[in-house]
Amino acid sequence: MHIIVPIKQVPDPESGAATIDPETGTLRREGASIVNPFDMNAIEEALRIKERIPDVTTTVITMGPPQADKALRLALAMGIDNAYLICDAAFAGSDTWATGYSLSSAIRYIGNFDLVICGKQAIDGDTAQVGPGIAAMLGIPHISSVRKIEEIGNDKIVVERLMEDGYDVLSMDIPCLITVVKEINEPRLESLKGKLRAKKAEIPTLKADDLNLSRDDIGQNGSPTKVIRIFTPPKREGGEILKGEVEEVVPALAQKLLELKIF
Amino acid sequence: MDFEFDDIQIEMQDAARQFALKRLKPLVAKMDEESHYETSLIKELAELGFFGILVPEEMGGIGIDSLSYVLIIEELSKVCPSTSVMLSVHNSLLNEMLMQMGTDDQKKRFLKKAAEGKIIGAFAITEPEAGSDAAGTKTKAVLDGDNYIINGTKTFITNANIADVFIIFTTTKPEAKTKGITAFFVEKETKGFSLGKKEEKMGLRASSTMELVFIDAVVPVTNRIGNENEGFKYAMKLLDGGRIGIAAQALGIAEAAFDEAIKYSKERKQFGKAICEFQAIQWMLADMATDIEAARNIVYKAAWMKDKGMPYSREASMAKLYASEMSNRVVNKALQIHGGYGYVKEFPIERIYRDQKITQLYEGTSEIQRMVIARSLLNPNR
């Protein structure tokens, strides 16, 4: 079985790097970065499947600038077998559609995959669209927000999908894609041996031409999303505190609630 | 001269830092309070390779240099010195002894498993009447056919309750004093061997320290380390490496105390301003940082000399002496900066202060280090 895990490098929220440039309305990315936390769960789940059933190969891919190499090496240090960096100036400015298209093309190029595991969403864009997008473009079924893999064989996977009020148990034919939530596992740390291996690993770079992609379908050109404006919501104001005796305050409160049409 | 770490050293330091922050930090206060080490951490440390740091890859370890090892011990010690002492004893004493002195059979039986953390090591020289003075060793081994019969007691043994293989030093020729010491690998299940009382310690409370009791314990000749009566020599050679590990631990503890002092001095307000704005505090912080920097250089240099294959015994003792005395000064000032809050368990400095003291005592007290250093100065050709 071959499992492919697409991952994303995102700004580290703890470093204070995740800020929006008020001029351009884009995310500042010059600060420290981490692997998207949900993608860490995806990597961990791929490794757990490898430990659970025989003959599993795991591959991690990311689309990003040359620095994204660091994210791939982290996955290798955790125990993933292979990594590919999808890196080309032509991919710059991709929205979720173009990203899904580029990643699905890379997955086809790598080939022979049985299962694709994505994180539920990236903590920077927060769209949760790329995973399902890849599945649609590859023409395979998908289940999102998986919190547990109950069974996995060569032909079929049975999973628990997290819902607001519980969970669904669903079965799906392989090849397929799942997106995972943080409840699914606790990602392992990088081992010393893994880090040494990752340090030495050769990571092939895939360019747009390697994937035979037209410039019209990728990057900014291939992105139908138009960002009109990005802004930080204004801070909420303090509200109003009613003071006085209960006999006065309660009718006043009721009156205000009625005025605000809360009921 | 080059003061930069290589890529591997940086990666190893990072791995230890991740473990310290993600796994140890949430548990350290609880483990100190309960005087108990979380078993799941040992399992994870083993899986990640922390029990085979210096053992070559082909023997099941990671096979990195001593400077990387020092960086790992330092990072872990910033958060949990009980973890670093466990690993220090295992890596620099059990694994090193196996690599330096182990027979093929002993290596086959113990080394791979030890490097993978499947068995854990302890090291026992100290006795009620012997410690710094190994000549006072009373634990006696008498050859009887294919076995030695061992009787005696060892005290203050780190890792005792988790160890599977104990390196123990016995006397086989009491009149020859240090030239009559013989060392053995003693397995946990050995008949006649048992654990004695557990010490209630001031610091390093998550690390177990216990007594070992030998009553007609039967240890096969095949478990003897090297030649009969040469054990003291092996111990001394091994302890040089061990001292670098403890020096790194003292360094990490001091750095942790310093970080707490900086943080607290910025937060705490008196007389209308943060106390870090007072010169009295600034001078303390400046002295602490300078002291730490000096120790860092001496500790890293000793490890570097070991990696280069240079004689490093004197430098290891200097590193151990300086770093442990330095860390005592630093934790003391760090607690002083905390004022009364440093004396209560709510702030980490209280535990750090207690954990620090042992670094001046074990693997040779500061006084013994000075003895070793002075001897090497006065008799350079010894």
Side-chain angles (χ1 to χ4, degrees):
Chain A
M1 171 175 285
H2 184 198
I3 304 174
I4 298 184
V5 183
I7 63 172
K8 183 179 187 187
Q9 206 175 32
V10 296
D12 183 355
E14 282 177 24
S15 75
T19 54
I20 305 281
D21 186 326
E23 296 277 311
T24 61
T26 54
L27 191 61
R28 288 197 183 103
R29 290 187 185 273
E30 60 267 29
S33 52
I34 56 168
V35 172
N36 177 43
F38 293 108
D39 299 349
M40 292 293 285
N41 298 111
I43 294 168
E44 176 63 29
E45 203 54 30
L47 294 172
R48 289 191 186 188
I49 295 170
K50 191 179 163 77
E51 286 161 358
R52 188 162 152 183
I53 59 175
D55 301 322
V56 172
T57 306
T58 53
T59 299
V60 67
I61 61 173
T62 194
M63 184 169 94
Q67 314 74 289
D69 170 90
K70 201 175 150 224
L72 297 173
R73 287 188 198 275
L74 184 147
L76 293 174
M78 288 170 73
I80 293 283
D81 301 305
N82 313 300
Y84 292 88
L85 176 65
I86 304 153
C87 182
D88 196 320
F91 293 122
S94 296
D95 67 357
T96 53
W97 177 277
T99 301
Y101 178 68
S102 306
L103 288 172
S104 64
S105 306
I107 291 168
R108 263 205 201 94
Y109 173 88
I110 294 164
N112 291 328
F113 65 92
D114 300 285
L115 178 64
V116 179
I117 309 180
C118 300
K120 182 184 73 153
Q121 66 199 66
I123 60 164
D124 52 0
D126 255 351
T127 66
Q129 291 170 357
V130 172
I134 292 172
M137 288 164 184
L138 287 173
I140 57 172
H142 84 273
I143 296 172
S144 53
S145 299
V146 170
R147 67 161 207 180
K148 189 181 177 193
I149 295 179
E150 286 195 348
E151 282 171 46
I152 180 160
N154 284 325
D155 311 316
K156 197 179 81 168
I157 183 169
V158 181
V159 301
E160 291 180 9
R161 175 171 66 188
L162 185 68
M163 303 298 285
E164 274 184 6
D165 52 354
Y167 64 92
D168 296 335
V169 178
L170 300 164
S171 165
M172 175 166 60
D173 288 342
I174 280 174
C176 62
L177 180 145
I178 59 172
T179 75
V180 298
V181 291
K182 67 177 190 301
E183 289 79 359
I184 195 165
N185 57 42
E186 166 74 27
R188 70 195 62 193
L189 298 175
E190 297 162 86
S191 72
L192 299 180
K193 209 173 269 185
K195 268 184 167 281
L196 292 180
R197 196 178 72 88
K199 195 80 224 160
K200 291 180 210 148
E202 293 276 336
I203 296 181
T205 300
L206 301 179
K207 296 195 163 293
D209 289 344
D210 297 323
L211 305 176
N212 277 327
L213 297 177
S214 153
R215 296 292 188 275
D216 294 338
D217 299 331
I218 58 173
Q220 193 110 49
N221 297 341
S223 297
T225 308
K226 297 287 170 259
V227 178
I228 308 300
R229 189 165 74 96
I230 291 183
F231 61 96
T232 310
K235 276 208 174 125
R236 285 210 249 174
E237 286 167 17
E240 189 185 348
I241 296 171
L242 300 175
K243 285 181 185 161
E245 295 301 316
V246 176
E247 293 76 17
E248 298 159 17
V249 171
V250 173
L253 177 62
Q255 184 57 36
K256 287 203 179 280
L257 292 175
L258 287 171
E259 279 167 20
L260 291 168
K261 298 197 192 320
I262 287 174
F263 298 106
Chain B
M1 222 174 171
D2 186 355
F3 282 103
E4 266 181 287
F5 297 132
D6 65 31
D7 287 351
I8 289 176
Q9 287 155 353
I10 292 168
E11 290 293 328
M12 297 299 106
Q13 184 183 41
D14 179 60
R17 187 178 295 149
Q18 296 293 331
F19 190 86
L21 296 178
K22 292 190 178 146
R23 300 291 192 264
L24 298 175
K25 205 172 174 192
L27 292 172
V28 66
K30 181 172 170 269
M31 295 199 299
D32 172 66
E33 180 72 28
E34 295 172 0
S35 184
H36 169 75
Y37 200 85
E38 200 66 44
T39 321
S40 64
L41 291 176
I42 299 177
K43 189 170 166 271
E44 195 174 2
L45 281 163
E47 284 165 1
L48 296 174
F50 286 100
F51 283 93
I53 300 171
L54 299 163
V55 178
E57 236 180 314
E58 59 274 20
M59 294 184 222
I62 307 299
I64 48 175
D65 60 15
S66 294
L67 186 49
S68 299
Y69 169 65
V70 156
L71 296 174
I72 289 171
I73 296 292
E74 180 187 348
E75 286 304 318
L76 296 172
S77 304
K78 282 185 192 169
V79 177
C80 177
S82 290
T83 300
S84 59
V85 72
M86 170 177 74
L87 295 176
S88 181
V89 166
H90 180 90
N91 281 286
S92 67
L93 301 177
L94 176 67
N95 289 350
E96 286 290 301
M97 185 66 108
L98 280 164
M99 287 195 288
Q100 287 178 20
M101 296 306 308
T103 60
D104 288 345
D105 164 65
Q106 288 164 350
K107 282 185 186 158
K108 207 169 136 197
R109 278 155 61 207
F110 305 129
L111 188 54
K112 189 166 183 291
K113 281 190 203 159
E116 290 171 352
K118 288 179 181 148
I119 56 174
I120 293 175
F123 185 85
I125 293 189
T126 306
E127 297 187 2
E129 290 173 54
S132 301
D133 178 15
T137 299
K138 294 267 190 304
T139 299
K140 211 169 168 181
V142 177
L143 186 63
D144 176 22
D146 292 338
N147 296 302
Y148 281 86
I149 307 301
I150 298 178
N151 281 286
T153 305
K154 294 283 174 187
T155 52
F156 298 151
I157 307 308
T158 302
N159 287 355
N161 75 335
I162 53 168
D164 304 280
V165 178
F166 299 76
I167 295 175
I168 67 146
F169 293 83
T170 65
T171 178
T172 31
K173 206 175 172 191
E175 68 281 8
K177 297 188 174 168
T178 54
K179 289 185 175 137
I181 305 276
T182 302
F184 297 91
F185 294 113
V186 173
E187 293 167 80
K188 186 171 65 178
E189 304 79 14
T190 299
K191 191 172 155 254
F193 166 57
S194 60
L195 298 180
K197 74 164 173 144
K198 179 182 173 184
E199 301 295 344
E200 274 299 328
K201 303 194 300 297
M202 167 184 170
L204 242 59
R205 291 177 52 78
S207 158
S208 82
T209 309
M210 292 177 82
E211 201 174 54
L212 310 182
V213 182
F214 300 86
I215 301 170
D216 292 330
V218 182
V219 176
V221 172
T222 51
N223 277 23
R224 191 183 69 212
I225 300 173
N227 296 325
E228 212 173 69
N229 303 325
E230 289 187 8
F232 184 69
K233 204 170 71 185
Y234 311 146
M236 290 304 107
K237 201 173 159 208
L238 215 58
L239 284 173
D240 288 339
R243 281 166 185 162
I244 298 180
I246 300 306
Q249 184 189 45
L251 178 61
I253 293 172
E255 288 163 335
F258 178 75
D259 291 345
E260 292 298 330
I262 287 276
K263 190 170 146 226
Y264 185 81
S265 69
K266 285 180 172 173
E267 286 167 6
R268 173 71 169 169
K269 290 199 169 58
Q270 290 288 276
F271 306 104
K273 50 185 173 182
I275 61 168
C276 68
E277 291 178 41
F278 294 106
Q279 197 178 43
I281 304 296
Q282 290 177 357
W283 284 24
M284 277 201 265
L285 292 172
D287 283 345
M288 290 157 79
T290 307
D291 224 355
I292 290 170
E293 189 59 24
R296 195 180 283 135
N297 279 286
I298 199 171
V299 176
Y300 293 172
K301 189 183 168 197
W304 175 85
M305 289 175 78
K306 181 171 187 252
D307 286 331
K308 291 278 174 206
M310 296 157 81
Y312 68 98
S313 175
R314 185 200 297 171
E315 285 73 12
S317 279
M318 286 175 165
K320 202 284 188 174
L321 171 64
Y322 191 82
S324 61
E325 293 290 314
M326 171 286 293
S327 67
N328 185 255
R329 291 191 290 274
V330 168
V331 298
N332 192 33
K333 288 189 183 111
L335 194 148
Q336 191 67 26
I337 288 171
H338 280 72
Y341 286 104
Y343 203 65
V344 295
K345 286 189 183 290
E346 198 183 331
F347 286 84
I349 191 64
E350 184 271 343
R351 177 190 53 75
I352 297 170
Y353 185 89
R354 286 186 286 108
D355 282 349
Q356 184 282 325
K357 188 63 204 175
I358 191 65
T359 66
Q360 295 164 282
L361 307 173
Y362 63 12
E363 299 220 19
T365 60
S366 292
E367 292 66 37
I368 287 290
Q369 305 306 330
R370 290 185 176 100
M371 234 166 79
V372 172
I373 297 163
R375 266 190 207 148
S376 81
L377 297 171
L378 298 169
N379 307 299
N381 299 323
R382 253 166 64 107

